[in-house]
Amino acid sequence: MQGTPARPPSFRRLLRALCGVLAAFYSCFSAAGEITIAVASNFAAPMRDIAAAFERVSGEHRLRLAFGSSGKLYAQVYHGAPFDAFFSADQDKVNRLIARDLAVSNSRLTYALGQLALWSADSALIDEGPAVLAGDRFRKLAIANPKLAPYGVAAMETLTALEFEQTTRGRRVLGENIAQAFQFVASGNAQLGLIALSQVYRDGKITGGSSWLVPQALYRPIRQDAVILRNTSAGSPERVAATKAFWVFLRGPEARSIIESYGYLTNAANPEPPATSTKEVRDAK
């Protein structure tokens, strides 16, 4: 009986090589991935905690974080920076990235609703809310640059609503982002600042100094959106897997609890909470 003809050695080598390639290809989907996320500076502290919790749970994936003003990070993404996801301090920049097909539209989510606070490192300075802005007890008021940072826009809207835009003009100092505005106040270079509540809030209380939570009726809602960038979908299977895993974690209860512990609201679909009216605040001056 005639046996099966032997295949030439070259065919066997080719088959082994092909099997090796396929094995490597499929193993990529379970391999650890490292991704880089661009994060608005107001969200730096909670994102560090979220990243640590995610890495602990995932056991394999790693996050690299890049912080800055939303405007500057947007410009970097637009010019090709190799970020995998973008956490903006507003919705506008995410809208523009989606419109330019630089982001995956169906990955978009509102991860937090930011709150603005008037804050001083001096525990006795803010004793009657915004009334301090009318007096001479401060030399400098720090805000984020409204051309770059959504919290700067909210600060200017608040000052305008309270009729302090003109009277504080010569005393305002602009930070490149909300982190720098906070540093101006924390260091004493400015006595007051309109900053993100998250910078001075932990687990239900202000961490130090004195503050006034600005009613949300005085500024447009700071809805902070995040989106996965096209860089990821064109990247390695490891990066894709890591990004998808992080997006799932971000929607879960542990991440939500961390976000809320820093003074953010997490359900942007909720109606705005009742707030003191502009007239009532003016009457308090």
Side-chain angles (χ1 to χ4, degrees), residues 45-58:
M47 181 56 87
R48 289 190 183 100
D49 287 355
I50 290 169
F54 169 69
E55 290 180 352
R56 184 174 63 251
V57 169
S58 75

Side-chain angles (χ1 to χ4, degrees), residues 107-255:
S107 70
R108 173 187 187 150
L109 61 90
T110 298
Y111 64 92
L113 184 66
Q115 300 194 79
L116 190 69
L118 179 66
W119 182 73
S120 174
D122 182 342
S123 61
L125 186 56
I126 304 175
D127 52 5
E128 295 184 16
V132 67
L133 292 168
D136 58 1
R137 298 172 63 193
F138 73 101
R139 297 188 309 277
K140 295 295 181 182
L141 168 68
I143 69 171
N145 188 338
K147 293 182 179 179
L148 296 173
Y151 279 85
V153 174
M156 290 305 301
E157 290 173 346
T158 296
L159 293 173
T160 299
L162 294 173
E163 300 180 353
F164 288 133
E165 193 276 331
Q166 291 291 332
T167 59
T168 60
R169 178 167 295 186
R171 292 190 279 180
R172 290 199 298 269
V173 56
L174 301 184
E176 182 178 284
N177 51 50
I178 198 66
Q180 189 175 65
F182 169 74
Q183 284 302 320
F184 286 153
V185 189
S187 65
N189 290 315
Q191 293 71 45
L192 290 172
L194 281 163
I195 63 168
L197 175 65
S198 61
Q199 293 171 303
V200 293
Y201 185 92
R202 296 293 182 279
D203 299 320
K205 61 183 179 180
I206 299 297
T207 56
S210 55
S211 68
W212 175 63
L213 180 61
V214 179
Q216 291 194 2
L218 300 184
Y219 58 93
R220 284 174 291 178
I222 307 173
R223 290 190 171 90
Q224 303 190 190
D225 277 12
V227 71
I228 295 173
L229 300 173
R230 289 292 182 193
N231 287 335
T232 298
S233 57
S236 67
E238 297 95 330
R239 284 171 58 193
V240 172
T243 305
K244 287 181 177 179
F246 181 60
W247 234 240
V248 171
F249 180 81
L250 191 64
R251 290 183 170 94
E254 186 171 3

Side-chain angles (χ1 to χ4, degrees), residues 74 88-97 108 223 225:
Y74 167 82
S88 181
D90 65 0
Q91 294 183 309
D92 174 65
K93 294 168 186 64
V94 169
N95 287 341
R96 284 188 272 167
L97 289 176
R108 173 187 187 150
R223 290 190 171 90
D225 277 12

